[in-house]
């Protein structure tokens, strides 16, 4: 049954009395048909301190027997127009009496406010209570009625009915809300259970003392124990924490911060042994009391992997060190005899010999040079690969570098009747800051390849500013080498810059080469801030193009090269070199250049010779047994003048930035790499020749020597 709305008053009253006069009286009092309304209103106002009764319209229905009253009540309920109150006479012969009637009315509508009207004490209150039960909805009204009393009752009881209905409606709302919340909670708990059980992450629920109340399957699997073996125990009792103090410490952290994050702990799994885990704790309220939710991650494998990686890294570093030492030694060992082959064949070339022997000698020399080039490529590549590529930042003339590259191959191109052209756009600055040696190396590799793989036509070398932007204050320069040679098949282009890759093995046999040139070039170009790319069509030719970024060296000039071939005159040179072949080669070359030469085989001998006699320069091998060249140079610099000022030119197995820096740091004035070229030797020593030097000019190291 839906009651009238909460705000809507219900003033419907059912009067059940066999005496018709009573009905008229009640109507008169409450509806006021026969009375002066103003009297009634003033009475009401006086009584209820409320709006005048004119606003209150009681509706009165009459029944003259209990059965008739019950029927009216049932009808009203069916029509959803319930009575708020019933006035019931006690004596209503021949039918039910008032008490009986009220009992039946309540069975239909327990909220009905019932008033028993009686003239005599037919029933005592106790009798009534015994028959109807203790009810708040019952009052006794003694006849004859007092008008005011009836009005007061009608107002009070109909209001009470309304308030009662409102209260029960509110209660029903509350009941519905509680039921809804309970359902939501049930579902939330069900969802939590589902997550808890199905989660691949190990989860536990503990009380505040750390005792396990529940654990999920993932946790059971992680620790290798069944749930019932853990419930009620804590991590100390289960042997996962060393001491109770550790458990308390976790509790303290949880109390202070409300959480514990990524705490490392170790536990024992019966099958897997000692394991490492990470632990997260959160305080949660369940059933109004605090609990601890724990999440666990097994990191044993991760830790093991980290450790393996660490060991692997140490191993790799050691291997890289060993490799680098090995390369350095091999380089020395191979360069030394190569130096002998090349040096001696250069010396022999100047001597008189029959033409057939001379052509054999040329082959010896070119084989030696090819071997030296391959060796340099392999060493260079391995140095770059091991992250040892260091680029120089020094002023240089860009045009000179380009011309150097082209001139280097002029003769070779001429031999094959190829045209070799160079064009440098006018916008490219004349002076740049960068590593000229490395730029020349890339250029030489590309021009060398172009000539190698072209049988007829032209090689065009072009340089200009790239359209792509360069970092502030720098230039992006583009260099391209175009040939009209054999070209490269499209499917081979992508592998071209990989180490040891050659387009086909037969061309390799025909043209020679290690397959490292482009791989080295790519690494150099990328280190200098640019890409290297190729476009090619088989049978038509190829274009190799690279960019590099260089600073502007406006105002700074490249170090001037001495003009012409310096004269060494009668220079006194001390050669410190342990290898007998090299000793012979260097001595013969220097003698041919007109020098007086003394030879020693190690650093200690160098020290004593330099103190015993005066030399114009020392040519010192870096790698010598006993006291090496670098240490010998340092000791010479700490001697007293003038021998401390003797110019020293170091001999290194290969020109690397580290080797060069090491030479200067040890106080050497210059360095040369093996195999020695006569020109380079003449240039280097010429700077210290008394004939080419102003008399009062002291030979200062060109770097931070001393
Ligand atoms: P290599 O020392 O063998 O020349 P590179 O790395 O310089 O090594 O070149 C790798 C291969 O790329 C060469 O062997 C050749 O097959 C191909 N190649 C390079 N430049 C050219 C070119 N200009 N024309 C045709 N093929 C080329």
């Amino acid at each position: 049954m839906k009651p009238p709305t909460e705000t809507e008053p219900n003033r419907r009253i059912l009067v059940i009395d066999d005496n018709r006069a009573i009905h008229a009286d009640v109507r008169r009092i409450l509806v006021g048909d026969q009375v002066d309304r103003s009297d009634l209103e003033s009475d009401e106002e006086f009584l209820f301190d409320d709006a005048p009764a004119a606003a209150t319209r009681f509706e009165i229905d009459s029944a003259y027997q209990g059965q008739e009253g019950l029927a009216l009540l049932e009808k009203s309920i069916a029509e959803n127009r319930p009575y708020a109150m019933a006035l019931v006479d006690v004596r209503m012969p021949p039918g039910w009496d008032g008490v009986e009637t009220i009992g039946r009315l309540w069975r239909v509508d327990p909220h009905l406010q019932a008033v028993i009207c009686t003239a005599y004490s037919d029933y005592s209150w106790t009798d009534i209570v015994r028959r109807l039960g203790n009810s708040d909805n019952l009052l006794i009204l003694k006849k004859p009625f007092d008008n005011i009393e009836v009005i007061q009752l009608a107002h009070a009881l109909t209001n009470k009915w309304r308030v009662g209905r409102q209260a029960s409606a509110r209660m029903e709302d509350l009941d519905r809300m509680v039921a809804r919340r309970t359902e939501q909670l049930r579902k939330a708990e069900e969802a939590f259970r589902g997550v808890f059980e199905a989660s691949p992450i190990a989860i536990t629920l503990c009380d505040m003392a750390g005792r396990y109340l529940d654990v999920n399957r993932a946790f059971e699997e992680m620790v290798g124990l069944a749930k019932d073996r853990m419930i009620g125990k804590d991590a100390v009792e289960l042997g996962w924490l060393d001491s109770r103090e550790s458990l308390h410490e976790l509790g303290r952290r949880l109390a202070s911060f409300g959480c514990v994050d990524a705490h490392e702990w170790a536990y024992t799994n019966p099958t897997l042994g000692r394991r490492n885990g990470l632990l997260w704790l959160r305080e949660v309220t369940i059933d109004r009391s605090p609990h601890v939710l724990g999440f666990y991650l097994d990191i044993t494998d991760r830790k093991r992997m980290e450790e393996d990686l660490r060991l692997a890294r140490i191993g790799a570093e050691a291997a890289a060190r060993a490799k680098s030492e090995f390369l350095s030694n091999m380089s020395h060992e191979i360069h030394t005899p190569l130096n002998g082959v090349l040096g001696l064949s250069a010396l022999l070339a100047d001597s008189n010999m029959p033409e057939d022997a001379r052509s054999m000698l040329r082959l010896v020399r070119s084989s030696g040079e090819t071997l030296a080039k391959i060796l340099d490529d392999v060493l260079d590549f391995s140095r770059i690969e091991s992250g040892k590529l260091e680029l120089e930042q020094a002023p240089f003339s860009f045009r000179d570098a380009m011309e150097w590259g082209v001139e280097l191959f002029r003769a070779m191109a001429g031999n094959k009747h190829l045209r070799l052209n160079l064009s440098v756009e006018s916008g490219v600055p004349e002076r740049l800051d960068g590593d000229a040696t490395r730029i020349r190396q890339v250029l030489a590799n590309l021009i060398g390849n172009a000539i190698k793989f072209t049988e007829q036509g032209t090689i065009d070398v072009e340089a200009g500013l790239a359209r792509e932007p360069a970092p502030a204050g720098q230039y992006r320069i583009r260099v391209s080498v175009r040939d009209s040679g054999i070209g490269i098949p499209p499917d081979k282009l992508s592998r071209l810059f990989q180490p040891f890759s050659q387009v086909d093995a037969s061309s390799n046999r025909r043209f020679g080469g290690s397959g490292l040139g482009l791989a080295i070039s790519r690494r150099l170009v990328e280190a200098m801030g640019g890409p290297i790319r190729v476009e090619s069509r088989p049978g038509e030719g190829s274009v190799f193009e690279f960019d590099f970024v260089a600073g502007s060296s406006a105002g700074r000039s490249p170090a001037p090269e001495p003009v012409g071939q310096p004269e060494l005159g009668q220079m006194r040179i001390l050669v410190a070199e342990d290898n007998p072949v090299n000793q012979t080669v260097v001595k013969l070359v220097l003698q041919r250049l007109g020098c007086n030469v003394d030879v020693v085989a190690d650093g200690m001998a160098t020290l004593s010779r330099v103190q015993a006699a005066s030399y114009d320069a020392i040519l010192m091998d870096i790698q010598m047994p006993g006291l090496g060249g670098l240490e010998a140079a340092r000791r010479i610099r700490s001697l007293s003048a003038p021998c401390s000022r003797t110019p020293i030119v170091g001999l290194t197995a290969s020109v690397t930035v580290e080797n060069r820096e090491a030479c200067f740091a040890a106080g050497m004035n210059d360095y040369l790499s093996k195999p020695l070229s006569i020109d380079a030797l003449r240039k280097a020593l010429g700077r210290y020749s008394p004939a080419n030097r102003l008399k009062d000019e002291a030979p200062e190291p060109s770097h931070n020597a001393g």
Side-chain angles (χ1 to χ4, degrees):
M1 176 187 81
K2 184 174 164 291
T5 57
E6 288 178 13
T7 47
E8 203 178 295
N10 178 8
R11 304 294 189 191
R12 286 169 54 71
I13 296 172
L14 175 63
V15 179
I16 309 173
D17 199 318
D18 57 340
N19 182 351
R20 287 178 183 273
I22 292 293
H23 292 269
D25 282 350
V26 172
R27 248 189 207 92
R28 182 176 47 78
I29 296 166
L30 294 181
V31 183
D33 287 349
Q34 298 100 356
V35 294
D36 177 359
R37 294 239 24 114
S38 63
D39 278 359
L40 204 59
E41 280 163 14
S42 62
D43 286 347
E44 268 199 66
E45 203 169 8
F46 166 75
L47 277 167
F48 300 112
D49 192 17
D50 202 351
T56 311
R57 293 222 39 102
F58 290 101
E59 270 180 64
I60 309 236
D61 284 346
S62 294
Y64 302 94
Q65 282 295 299
Q67 289 85 338
E68 192 188 348
L70 181 65
L72 278 179
L73 181 71
E74 282 168 345
K75 183 163 174 278
S76 75
I77 298 276
E79 291 169 355
N80 197 22
R81 303 166 56 240
Y83 293 104
M85 167 183 166
L87 276 170
V88 186
D89 187 24
V90 171
R91 289 192 188 174
M92 293 183 288
W96 302 329
D97 70 5
V99 175
E100 172 81 26
T101 304
I102 287 171
R104 289 180 184 256
L105 293 180
W106 276 352
R107 258 174 255 159
V108 174
D109 180 4
H111 305 292
L112 184 72
Q113 303 298 311
V115 179
I116 291 187
C117 306
T118 175
Y120 319 96
S121 18
D122 304 88
Y123 287 102
S124 72
W125 181 249
T126 326
D127 292 339
I128 294 172
V129 167
R130 193 179 315 118
R131 285 190 57 190
L132 293 177
N134 228 334
S135 168
D136 291 343
N137 296 346
L138 185 65
L139 273 180
I140 294 184
L141 179 64
K142 283 270 166 44
K143 288 180 182 172
F145 305 142
D146 179 291
N147 289 4
I148 298 299
E149 200 178 0
V150 170
I151 291 170
Q152 188 185 12
L153 267 181
H155 270 282
L157 291 184
T158 54
N159 268 337
K160 181 177 172 225
W161 182 90
R162 184 165 63 101
V163 172
R165 298 308 293 140
Q166 283 175 348
S168 68
R170 189 67 46 84
M171 283 305 289
E172 280 166 26
D173 276 355
L174 281 175
D175 282 350
R176 270 194 298 276
M177 253 163 68
V178 167
R180 216 169 32 239
R181 278 306 279 146
T182 311
E183 180 60 11
Q184 282 170 351
L185 280 174
R186 194 188 60 73
K187 282 192 174 145
E189 203 180 305
E190 206 173 273
F192 172 76
R193 255 290 110 219
V195 171
F196 186 82
E197 280 309 330
S199 168
I201 294 173
I203 310 176
T204 61
L205 183 69
C206 292
D207 62 16
M208 294 307 280
R211 281 182 295 261
Y212 293 100
L213 302 176
D214 202 352
V215 304
N216 71 351
R217 210 161 315 144
F219 189 79
E220 285 182 291
E221 278 165 21
M222 193 176 101
V223 297
L225 272 188
K227 189 195 280 200
D228 54 8
R229 302 264 311 273
M230 295 182 259
I231 300 302
K233 297 195 177 123
D234 61 33
V236 182
E237 288 165 301
L238 290 163
W240 299 330
L241 282 181
D242 308 337
S243 66
R244 200 142 287 282
E245 180 47 31
S246 318
L247 191 63
H248 291 159
E249 174 55 26
L250 281 176
R252 278 195 292 276
R253 278 171 59 188
L254 194 60
S256 312
F257 306 112
C259 66
V260 169
D261 279 344
H263 175 80
E264 279 209 35
W265 72 305
Y267 63 96
T268 312
N269 178 303
T271 346
L272 303 174
R274 201 75 177 150
R275 311 281 293 171
N276 295 94
L278 286 182
L279 162 66
W280 285 260
L281 297 178
R282 290 288 181 278
E283 198 177 312
V284 291
T285 302
I286 296 175
D287 288 340
R288 298 209 187 132
S289 54
H291 288 70
V292 182
L293 210 48
F295 303 86
Y296 306 77
L297 208 58
D298 187 306
I299 55 163
T300 317
D301 295 339
R302 197 176 88 190
K303 282 207 123 179
R304 199 168 293 150
M305 241 157 65
E306 281 170 5
E307 181 60 12
D308 289 352
L309 273 178
R310 197 181 66 80
L311 293 175
R313 199 173 51 240
I314 292 173
E317 280 165 5
R321 260 197 313 279
K323 180 178 147 196
S324 148
E325 274 164 30
F326 171 78
L327 279 173
S328 159
N329 289 337
M330 282 308 290
S331 164
H332 180 78
E333 294 304 322
I334 299 174
H335 269 123
T336 303
L338 207 52
N339 196 19
V341 171
L342 289 172
L344 288 171
S345 55
L347 285 171
L348 275 175
D350 285 351
S351 60
N352 285 332
M353 62 170 70
E355 186 46 41
D356 58 342
R358 187 175 291 278
S359 71
M360 281 192 270
L361 183 67
R362 269 199 295 275
L363 282 178
V364 170
R365 223 179 141 179
S366 75
S367 306
E369 278 164 2
T370 308
L371 188 57
K373 166 83 176 82
I374 292 173
L375 181 64
D376 283 344
D377 274 359
V378 172
L379 289 173
D380 206 16
F381 182 73
S382 97
R383 249 193 324 268
I384 294 172
E385 282 296 89
S386 59
K388 289 205 178 136
L389 172 63
E390 282 182 44
L391 293 172
E392 193 172 45
Q393 281 298 321
F396 70 99
S397 156
F398 178 63
R399 182 169 274 279
D400 284 358
M402 297 297 289
E403 279 171 0
W404 173 92
V406 170
E407 289 315 313
L408 193 64
F409 293 96
R410 182 72 67 200
M412 200 195 270
N415 289 343
K416 290 180 87 175
H417 307 292
L418 300 171
R419 284 180 299 281
L420 178 56
N421 306 321
L422 168 68
S423 111
V424 179
E425 269 177 24
S426 54
V428 181
E430 173 48 30
R431 297 209 196 296
L432 292 173
D433 241 3
D435 195 327
T437 312
R438 292 308 199 171
I439 293 167
R440 284 200 294 237
Q441 185 179 349
V442 177
L443 185 65
N445 185 40
L446 297 186
I447 301 179
N449 278 349
I451 294 176
K452 191 156 73 170
F453 297 105
T454 304
E455 292 311 319
Q456 58 181 15
T458 312
I459 317 287
D460 286 313
V461 181
E462 288 173 4
L465 288 175
R467 262 186 306 256
E468 288 76 7
Q474 293 188 299
Y475 296 98
R476 181 178 291 277
I477 314 288
R478 178 158 302 163
V479 179
S480 69
V481 177
R482 178 187 300 272
D483 65 51
S484 54
I486 59 171
I488 301 156
D491 60 319
K492 298 285 188 336
L493 285 175
S494 60
R495 297 197 56 248
L496 222 50
F497 297 99
Q498 309 277 327
F500 307 107
S501 108
Q502 288 173 321
V503 169
D504 76 87
S506 64
S507 76
N508 176 34
R509 276 194 295 279
R510 205 165 103 222
F511 300 110
S514 62
L516 278 176
L518 289 178
I520 293 174
S521 297
R522 188 179 104 185
R523 281 156 178 80
L524 292 178
V525 167
E526 285 173 354
M528 291 189 284
I532 183 165
R533 45 188 168 252
V534 57
E535 276 179 30
S536 187
R537 271 173 202 279
E540 292 182 20
S542 316
V543 191
F544 284 81
E545 186 179 80
F546 69 94
D547 293 2
F548 65 92
V549 174
S552 155
S553 74
R556 297 170 66 200
S557 303
E561 286 290 323
V563 191
Q565 294 287 18
E567 271 313 312
L568 302 194
Q570 296 287 307
M571 276 181 88
R572 292 204 63 191
I573 309 286
L574 177 61
V575 174
E577 162 70 67
D578 61 313
N579 181 281
V581 179
N582 284 349
Q583 285 177 352
T584 312
V585 174
V586 177
K587 190 172 176 181
L588 284 173
V589 170
L590 287 175
Q591 282 171 344
R592 188 159 294 181
L593 291 172
C595 302
N596 296 316
V597 186
D598 286 335
V599 177
V600 287
D602 61 53
M604 287 314 288
T606 314
L607 272 175
S608 44
R609 282 311 291 256
V610 85
Q611 292 177 85
S614 134
Y615 291 95
D616 295 312
I618 306 170
L619 205 54
M620 178 124 67
D621 186 18
I622 286 182
Q623 276 175 303
M624 287 187 291
L627 191 65
L630 295 172
E631 184 54 27
R634 269 189 283 275
R635 294 205 193 170
I636 291 171
R637 293 288 174 244
S638 64
L639 296 172
S640 53
C643 52
S644 65
R645 305 183 71 179
T646 313
I648 307 173
V649 175
L651 291 177
T652 70
S654 52
V655 192
T656 64
V657 174
E658 314 98 80
N659 275 350
R660 199 190 54 194
E661 292 301 327
C663 289
F664 290 133
M668 293 184 172
N669 300 69
D670 209 342
Y671 64 93
L672 288 172
S673 73
K674 298 179 191 175
L676 279 176
S677 102
I678 297 182
D679 275 354
L681 194 58
R682 198 202 316 260
K683 253 187 210 165
L685 292 178
R687 295 195 186 105
Y688 312 109
S689 149
N692 294 315
R693 207 173 70 203
L694 290 174
K695 279 218 167 65
D696 53 349
E697 188 193 336
E700 285 302 327
S702 48
H703 248 247
N704 54 341

